[in-house]
Structures are given as structure tokens and as C-alpha cells.
Amino acid sequence: MENAIEQAVLRVVKSMHENLGEQLTINDMARTAMFSKFHFSRVFQRVTGLSPGRFLSAVRLQEAKRLLTTTSLTVTDISHTVGYSSVGTFSSRFTASVGLSPTKYRQLKSITPHISTETEPAPERDRPMTTIRGDISSPLKDQPIFAGLFPDRILEGRPIRYTILRRPGPFVLEDVPQGEWHLMAQSVAPGREDAVLHPAGSDEGLCIGRHGPISVRPGTDTKLAHLQLRPMRPLDPPVLLALRDLLDVPQLTH
């Protein structure tokens, strides 16, 4: 039964990739999955970790990243190609998710400015903070790993805290504020930096891991979180945050 559900969700994800310029509705997606609208939304979120609308938005922005780095299409043309009627809305969502404007992303080809480990505004030091520590294992031996805390199960936007490991092993995230956080980690095989621009499949070149939600409450000193990275699958939300320069920086922590 679980396999049948995943296959139904996979049909919808495939339809998203094939119809990016169309205004797909929940009813359209539910018909593709052959579920009722309400049952479909619950099932889709359980399988992928995101609502159908949020997943579709991520797929559209992933394709926009690919088009920006591999074509000479204008930003306006790309926004229409991936289903946005307003280039302003497209640019705002792209910037919030990827960390760069579409124009800047094209110029730097997926290099993002340094992301501070502090929130804005910086947390008050008299407020109790929590440390999250654990181990990250990966099939990509001796490859750097990005690990960060995000409010949702998707690598997009600004991580509340992050670290970069030189290779799989122990990690520590300090001064974590109260809230519900998802630990997200990614590692890329040598020479496969472009893997994040392709639809997820059985490619071993991009490995990811998720753990959470991790609940940080008053009085919590330390939380433990262990993570096993695995090759990305079609049912995983796309990686939107531009990470390449974070994985290249010399100040690696392990």
C-alpha cells in the first residue's frame, strides 16, 4: 500500500516537472494521483514533507536556477517559463529561497554570499540558548558536508544556524534559539556540483539528510541529533539555497 501511495505522489511530481508553465491546481494534482483533494494533500505532505503547493514552487525555482545557469533567456522569460505571471513575484521568491536575486545568481553561477551564523537581529545573550550536537555519516567519504537548521523540511532561505564539516563525523550547532527546527544536511560528489540543478533521481552525486523537527524549549541545554545522508530521490524537495561557496570555504569545522 505504501509503495502505491509513493507511486501516486511520484506521478504528481513528474507532472509538476512536465507542466511548469501551467497553473496546476490541487484538483489537477489530486486527479493525477487518483485521490480525493483532501486525502491527496495529507498524503503528499506525509511522503514529501511539504504541501503540494510548496513543493511545486520549489520545483519551479529549481528549474529557474537551471535556466539561469545554462541558457541566455531573460529573467522575464524564465519567470514565465516556470509559471509566474509576475516577474516581480518570481524575483522576490527566488531571492528569498536561493539567497541571491536571479540576476546575481546568473552572474555568480550558484555562488552565494557568506551566510552569517547569527540571526538578524542577533540573539540576546541573556536568553537561554541550546546546543545541538551529533554525528553525520555519508556514503560520500571525505567530502565536505553542509548542515544547517531550517524552519521547514527544505534547503531554502537563511539557516538559523549552520556548520560545514570537512568530512562525515561529529558536528556542533551552538546558540540555537527556541523553536521547531529541521536539521538539513547536504554533500556533493567531486565534479558533480551541477547535480543540484537536475531533477532528483538515483544520482549518487548529491546526498542529503533530514532530521526533525527538533523542538528547542526553555531549559533545554543540549539536544542530540544523528543523521545519515543518502542519495537524493525524486520525492525529496529540491535544494534551493545556493551552497557552493559554503562548501569551498577554508574555515571548515572538522
Side-chain angles (χ1 to χ4, degrees):
M1 180 62 178
E2 192 65 26
N3 183 63
I5 290 174
E6 288 194 358
Q7 288 301 312
V9 173
L10 191 58
R11 286 197 302 272
V12 176
V13 171
K14 182 179 179 182
S15 175
M16 290 178 180
H17 283 281
E18 293 174 346
N19 299 280
L20 287 176
E22 305 298 324
Q23 296 304 311
L24 293 176
T25 67
I26 291 294
N27 285 332
D28 295 330
M29 291 185 270
R31 279 193 295 270
T32 299
M34 293 185 288
F35 289 137
S36 72
K37 178 172 68 174
F38 301 106
H39 182 55
F40 164 71
S41 295
R42 290 193 300 269
V43 165
F44 191 97
Q45 176 124 11
R46 177 167 62 83
V47 171
T48 68
L50 296 180
S51 69
R54 186 78 178 279
F55 197 102
L56 175 59
S57 177
V59 169
R60 285 173 167 162
L61 293 177
Q62 178 194 41
E63 175 64 5
K65 289 173 65 179
R66 189 189 71 80
L67 292 173
L68 285 165
T69 57
T70 60
T71 76
S72 58
L73 291 172
T74 67
V75 171
T76 298
D77 287 341
I78 289 173
S79 69
H80 294 159
T81 298
V82 299
Y84 285 86
S85 57
S86 165
V87 67
T89 300
F90 164 73
S91 295
S92 296
R93 291 184 181 174
F94 187 97
T95 302
S97 293
V98 177
L100 297 168
S101 70
T103 300
K104 196 68 173 178
Y105 181 86
R106 166 170 274 166
Q107 291 173 347
L108 299 181
K109 295 186 184 299
S110 84
I111 298 177
T112 183
H114 173 70
I115 301 175
S116 170
T117 57
E118 295 292 337
T119 58
E120 289 187 3
E124 300 173 14
R125 289 303 173 182
D126 59 351
R127 183 178 300 169
M129 293 289 179
T130 296
T131 295
I132 296 177
R133 63 175 69 245
D135 290 279
I136 300 178
S137 56
S138 170
L140 299 176
K141 306 301 182 183
D142 296 322
Q143 290 304 304
I145 295 174
F146 166 89
L149 295 174
F150 295 83
D152 296 304
R153 288 186 55 187
I154 180 171
L155 270 158
E156 73 168 353
R158 188 187 185 99
I160 193 71
R161 294 291 182 270
Y162 82 92
T163 187
I164 302 166
L165 307 181
R166 191 179 298 276
R167 61 183 63 86
F171 75 93
V172 178
L173 294 169
E174 297 179 323
D175 294 334
V176 178
Q178 296 176 24
E180 297 280 338
W181 310 112
H182 293 266
L183 176 64
M184 311 286 293
Q186 173 190 305
S187 184
V188 181
R192 291 308 318 277
E193 289 79 10
D194 67 338
V196 296
L197 299 179
H198 300 300
S202 58
D203 190 346
E204 302 285 330
L206 177 60
C207 288
I208 61 169
R210 297 179 175 86
H211 178 89
I214 300 171
S215 180
V216 176
R217 296 287 181 256
T220 303
D221 294 325
T222 302
K223 301 283 283 189
L224 298 178
H226 303 292
L227 202 56
Q228 169 68 58
L229 270 61
R230 54 165 176 76
M232 195 167 184
R233 301 181 302 213
L235 294 173
D236 292 316
V239 174
L240 297 182
L241 178 62
L243 291 172
R244 193 173 72 184
D245 79 322
L246 289 176
L247 297 178
D248 288 341
V249 296
Q251 296 85 7
L252 298 173
T253 60
H254 176 59

